[in-house]
Amino acid sequence: MTNEMNPVFNVFRFPEPALVSVNGVELEVFEAGREHGNPIVLCHGFPEHAFSWRHQVPALVAAGYHVIIPNQRGYGHSSRPAEVTAYDIEHLTGDLVALLDHFGYEDATFVGHDWGANVVWNLALLHPERVNKIINLALPYQERGEKPWIELMEAFFGGDFYFVHFNRQPGVADAILHENTSRFLRNIFRKNVPLAPPEPGMVMINLALAEKPLGEPLMEENELAVFVSAFESSGFTGSINWYRNLDRNWHFMADIAPMIHQPTLMIYGERDTIPKSENLKNIVPNLDVVSLDCGHWIQQEKPEETTRAILDWLEQQNA
């Protein structure tokens, strides 16, 4: 796929994509600044796209970084394996390791938002030698409790909570979101609105069907069109399959000590319902924290502030 085939990308001078074969799949990868070396890999969340990092790319390239932004498996024009287990944390982190191998890098700085942050946390645990620094947004490291994740969430939030619903009723949300792609994305991408309300219920399906969304739109129509076009093409099953591996991931990580030594910046949105971690410093001792006055979509809602926080922190680390 080229930007000529997807002309909306030209509005923002977003990098040209390429399909890269790694770890048994093809990933749609956008990159800029390869001449600099010094890799930084930006990992999106749900229901997002590499394009969610559009505001950060020019400044990172100008600061001397080789910016690598994959659409992770299940997203965009990347591969969408049929097997649910193909989206477990072993595969997702393996994709990023193989991406470094493809570009010839021993390690890189990894930046993650939402689900992307979860992948980056686990990448640092499973492949610590490939991660030199971490910048994560919205989602702090999720401590592994005594019960598998879905069982725990079902006990706390009930069967309608979207994590649980995705697992207990496979295919239902996938179809509803796909039938209402434009409305769902228009409704979920709002400023100062958390990803899920305090009583979440069937929040994703409700967002797909709601006629009057809350909050101010997060992006312009031509920006939103990138996301809508991508999900109209890919559907939502691949991305939802990440949720369907939460319990599998819980078992897989059972014997991995939760200690992350890399220098780390955690960026929170003050209006996000994802709670700040009170124990993150115990797991990530080399930690700095920044909080911005925004909701869940931090790097898109507060692009200048987010970019400045990232660049200032990287400069301090490299001093």
Side-chain angles (χ1 to χ4, degrees):
M1 185 189 70
T2 67
N3 284 356
E4 285 71 26
M5 295 169 62
N6 221 352
V8 70
F9 281 99
N10 290 328
V11 176
F12 305 97
R13 302 181 183 277
F14 203 66
E16 291 279 351
L19 287 178
V20 176
S21 296
V22 294
N23 199 28
V25 295
E26 286 190 327
L27 296 184
E28 182 183 27
V29 179
F30 303 81
E31 57 160 326
R34 186 188 291 211
E35 66 276 10
H36 298 312
N38 200 14
I40 187 166
V41 183
L42 312 182
C43 303
H44 63 78
F46 172 88
E48 292 186 285
H49 186 280
F51 191 63
S52 63
W53 298 104
R54 61 198 176 279
H55 300 294
Q56 285 70 49
V57 175
L60 287 169
V61 172
Y65 289 92
H66 178 194
V67 185
I68 303 167
I69 322 113
N71 268 330
Q72 297 174 85
R73 63 170 67 196
Y75 287 84
H77 287 81
S78 295
S79 295
R80 302 188 296 276
E83 301 81 6
V84 172
T85 56
Y87 299 84
D88 67 13
I89 201 64
E90 183 178 16
H91 286 90
L92 297 177
T93 56
D95 290 350
L96 298 181
V97 169
L99 194 59
L100 289 188
D101 292 341
H102 170 80
F103 286 109
Y105 293 123
E106 291 296 323
D107 58 21
T109 298
F110 284 86
V111 185
H113 171 252
D114 183 77
W115 249 111
N118 188 46
V119 175
V120 170
W121 292 126
N122 285 282
L123 177 68
L125 293 175
L126 294 170
H127 304 279
E129 73 285 356
R130 309 307 297 268
V131 182
N132 58 48
K133 289 182 282 294
I134 296 167
I135 302 171
N136 274 337
L137 286 67
L139 186 74
Y141 177 78
Q142 302 297 289
E143 295 184 64
R144 184 181 182 278
E146 296 182 357
K147 292 183 178 181
W149 291 110
I150 300 305
E151 180 182 343
L152 180 68
M153 292 180 188
E154 191 168 23
F156 272 95
F157 301 120
D160 285 344
F161 183 49
Y162 68 101
F163 280 71
V164 181
H165 186 276
F166 287 164
N167 280 269
R168 301 294 189 237
Q169 300 188 48
V172 175
D174 316 38
I176 293 173
L177 299 188
H178 188 50
E179 290 169 5
N180 299 276
T181 297
S182 181
R183 180 181 291 181
F184 169 59
L185 295 175
R186 186 181 305 277
N187 288 351
I188 200 171
F189 289 132
R190 318 296 290 190
K191 290 184 179 179
N192 293 325
V193 176
L195 182 62
E199 296 180 3
M202 298 174 69
V203 61
M204 294 299 171
I205 292 176
N206 291 342
L207 281 167
L209 301 177
E211 294 185 3
K212 294 182 179 180
L214 299 173
E216 180 185 348
L218 181 68
M219 61 187 85
E220 300 293 332
E221 284 294 320
N222 50 2
E223 295 175 296
L224 181 65
V226 175
F227 295 85
V228 173
S229 174
F231 280 101
E232 285 180 341
S233 175
S234 69
F236 289 87
T237 297
S239 55
I240 291 176
N241 280 344
W242 291 35
Y243 292 87
R244 294 179 176 132
N245 279 281
L246 281 169
D247 284 357
R248 181 179 175 86
N249 297 344
W250 183 89
H251 289 288
F252 181 77
M253 299 297 293
D255 298 325
I256 307 298
M259 183 59 64
I260 295 171
H261 297 284
Q262 290 88 344
T264 299
L265 174 64
M266 181 69 220
I267 304 178
Y268 291 107
E270 285 290 340
R271 300 171 188 257
D272 197 348
T273 54
I274 296 177
K276 297 179 181 179
S277 171
E278 297 179 357
N279 302 316
L280 189 57
K281 189 77 173 179
N282 298 331
I283 298 165
V284 191
N286 197 353
L287 175 71
D288 292 300
V289 176
V290 169
S291 293
L292 300 178
D293 184 21
C294 62
H296 182 71
W297 314 108
I298 298 171
Q299 77 272 29
Q300 298 187 81
E301 187 171 342
K302 292 289 185 179
E304 293 182 6
E305 294 89 335
T306 302
T307 303
R308 177 47 50 199
I310 290 172
L311 290 175
D312 285 349
W313 185 80
L314 287 171
E315 184 177 357
Q316 292 170 9
Q317 294 301 312
N318 295 328

